[in-house]
Amino acid sequence: MQFSKLRLTGFKSFVDPTDLVIEPGLTGIVGPNGCGKSNLVEALRWAMGETSAKRLRGGEMDDVIFGGTGSRPARNVAEVGLHLDNASRNAPQLYNEHGEIEVVRRIERGSGSAYRINGKEVRARDVQLLFADLATGAHSTAMVSQGRIGWIIGAKPIERRALLEEAAGISGLHARRHEAELRLKAAEANLTRLDDIIRTQEEQLEALKKQARQAGRYRRLSDHIRRAEAMVLHLRWLRANAELEAAVERLHAVEGQVGELTMSALAAERAREEAASVLPSLRQSEAAASAELQRLTLARQTLEDEERRVAEARAAAEERRAQVAQDSTREASLAADAQVALATLGSERQDLTAAQASEAGEQATATEALRLTSGEVAALDAEIESLTQQAAALEARRETLLREEQDMAARRARLTERSGELDRQRAALAAEALPNGVVESALALVAAAEAETTRASAAADAAELALRGAESAEQTARAPFEAAQSRRQKLDTEAQALQELLAATASPHAAPLIDTLRVEAGYEAALGAALGDDLTAPLDPAAPIHWTTLPPYDASPELPPGAESLAAHVTAPPVLSRRLGQIGV
């Protein structure tokens, strides 16, 4: 057989279908470097079953597919077909009936290769055996490439043996022998595995036989158990019948006893009815005696409660009378101190009013006012300190009264406990027979205690009124104290403003605008609210911040109804006329 044609499609640089016809004789391919001569030899090897991508100058087998250029896209499929002329009919028996043998290898990117011989899909091993029988193949020495001659000359004996076997045409036999050996080894492995499976199955068979014997024994034992249970149930049935007959006999005996007991119950019922006819009169007598006993018990308890209340009131009155006397003395002293504080605050108020009237004036007057204000602040500080001490004294007095109230509550609890003890002693004395004189003396003492209790209650009420008056005096004294503090804060604010004004006057620039103003009395606050810090700005243009004269408005806006222009009450330089004319009061 001889190669007749090589057909390439999408293999490396042969993107379009290309046929290379191999005629009888010598066929040569001539061309420059890079024209694809080596690709034809690699296509021939690849079609004959080459499995190494490195022998085809690639990193992986998909590199034999056309990878694309700048003008043509890449392909996903490559195919090489090799046609063999079998006119002499010396091909292997499986393919010898065809005059031409076509071997095709097709690869799809990412899916691997597929082989076909004369259109029938075969294994790669079948293609390799076909070319081995023809004394050729992908690794045949008949395909001489660059450096191949030197390799043959320097080949080792075993490599030369392969060359001789290929020349003798027995390479296919060695390949088939190797494949047969592999199959024999696989068959031996399968036989070994089959022996293991047979042993496993025999072991399972023995286990199943044992289980079958156990199942048969279980069935036999189950039959014996069912028969034994049937016998037990029959014996229980016989015993139950015997017990039923005995129960029937006992029932007849009990029914006779029930008849006798019924007759006895009827006789007892008649006796109960006779006794019930006598019971109402006895119950009425018992109810009358119980009512009389309850009345006497309530009367006795009322007398005991009244005596206990009188004793408690008397003891409490004694305590409150002594306490009220002390409280009255303290509250009188506090009231006198509060009156003195009120008089002092009144005089201070007059002084503050007089000082307020003298605040207006020029810069020198302002300086003097600052000095006077500082003195007033010091006086007010002293007065506030005095009032603070008085308020602290009143607060301490209030806390003392609260503590005394708690002490009185504790004394009341102790007196209550003492009263209970006296009640128990009185009960013990009442149990004895007392002479009439002792009882009358006790009643007289009770009456005296009630009178003393009344007087103590009146004294306690008076003390409470005095306490409330002291608290009211404290509130009255606190109001002037808070007013004085407010006045002090206001004076501090005015003093700070005067200091700022004096500091502005000491500036190296010209005098501030406020020195050139004349304000009617009563409009000072309005002017200060309208201009604020702008009053301290000078008229000197050399100053960083100064007043500048602007032209008058073409049409001056009117003020809201009821508003009067501030310019009518302030005498100021022309630089301020435009602004004052738009300020309404």
Side-chain angles (χ1 to χ4, degrees), residues 34-371:
C35 66
K37 300 186 297 297
S38 300
N39 292 343
L40 291 174
V41 179
E42 291 173 357
L44 189 63
R45 287 181 175 177
W46 187 68
M48 288 189 293
E50 179 61 60
T51 57
S52 174
K54 293 182 179 180
R55 294 177 182 270
L56 301 175
R57 298 180 300 170
E60 57 183 6
M61 194 57 71
D62 288 346
D63 292 340
V64 302
I65 304 174
F66 178 69
T69 62
S71 59
R72 306 195 67 172
R75 293 293 184 88
N76 291 327
V77 178
E79 182 177 296
V80 175
L82 183 59
H83 294 260
L84 305 176
D85 185 7
N86 191 27
S88 59
R89 295 290 193 271
N90 57 355
Q93 184 65 32
L94 186 61
Y95 311 106
N96 201 23
E97 60 183 5
H98 300 284
E100 185 179 16
I101 301 175
E102 182 185 12
V103 180
V104 179
R105 183 176 182 179
R106 179 183 177 90
I107 183 172
E108 186 174 356
R109 194 180 299 276
S111 300
S113 301
Y115 296 86
R116 293 193 306 275
I117 298 178
N118 291 335
K120 183 179 179 182
E121 189 170 352
V122 295
R123 301 176 303 165
R125 187 63 177 170
D126 297 333
V127 174
Q128 294 172 357
L129 287 176
L130 171 62
F131 287 103
D133 291 338
L134 298 177
T136 184
H139 301 155
S140 175
T141 56
M143 299 182 66
V144 181
S145 59
Q146 184 177 2
R148 189 69 172 175
I149 300 299
W151 177 83
I152 294 174
I153 294 174
K156 297 178 182 180
I158 189 171
E159 295 173 348
R160 292 179 182 177
R161 177 183 178 183
L163 178 63
L164 296 175
E165 289 176 352
E166 182 179 350
I170 60 175
S171 299
L173 297 178
H174 284 288
R176 284 187 172 85
R177 185 184 67 180
H178 178 66
E179 184 177 3
E181 290 176 352
L182 294 178
R183 289 180 180 178
L184 288 174
K185 290 180 180 179
E188 291 177 356
N190 291 334
L191 290 175
T192 304
R193 177 61 181 163
L194 182 60
D195 293 337
D196 295 338
I197 293 173
I198 291 174
R199 284 195 297 272
T200 304
Q201 295 295 331
E202 289 177 351
E203 292 176 357
Q204 293 180 357
L205 179 61
E206 293 295 331
L208 291 174
K209 288 180 179 180
K210 182 178 180 181
Q211 293 176 5
R213 290 193 298 270
Q214 292 176 351
R217 183 181 179 186
Y218 172 76
R219 285 194 297 272
R220 291 193 299 273
L221 292 176
S222 298
D223 293 338
H224 293 311
I225 290 171
R226 281 195 295 272
R227 285 194 294 270
E229 288 178 349
M231 294 177 63
V232 170
L233 292 175
H234 180 68
L235 293 175
R236 288 181 179 177
W237 178 74
L238 295 177
R239 188 183 301 111
N241 286 335
E243 292 176 354
L244 178 61
E245 294 176 355
V248 170
E249 294 178 356
R250 288 196 301 272
L251 176 61
H252 293 320
V254 170
E255 287 178 350
Q257 294 177 0
V258 168
E260 295 176 357
L261 292 175
T262 302
M263 297 300 296
S264 301
L266 292 176
E269 183 65 21
R270 285 194 296 270
R272 188 188 65 78
E273 291 177 355
E274 293 176 357
S277 61
V278 182
L279 185 61
S281 60
L282 297 176
R283 287 181 177 175
Q284 291 179 357
S285 300
E286 181 183 3
S290 298
E292 183 64 20
L293 178 60
Q294 183 68 19
R295 185 183 65 80
L296 294 174
T297 302
L298 291 175
R300 180 170 174 265
Q301 184 176 1
T302 302
L303 291 174
E304 292 175 353
D305 293 341
E306 186 65 24
E307 184 179 0
R308 183 173 61 257
R309 286 194 298 270
V310 168
E312 293 175 355
R314 178 181 179 182
E318 289 292 337
E319 295 292 337
R320 293 180 64 185
R321 183 177 63 180
Q323 187 65 35
V324 165
Q326 297 177 2
D327 294 343
S328 298
T329 304
R330 294 192 187 94
E331 295 299 334
S333 177
L334 292 176
D337 294 340
Q339 293 295 330
V340 173
L342 290 175
T344 304
L345 290 175
S347 62
E348 293 294 335
R349 181 184 299 173
Q350 295 176 0
D351 295 340
L352 292 174
T353 304
Q356 183 178 6
S358 62
E359 289 179 358
E362 300 296 333
Q363 179 177 359
T365 307
T367 304
E368 182 64 22
L370 176 61
R371 185 181 61 79

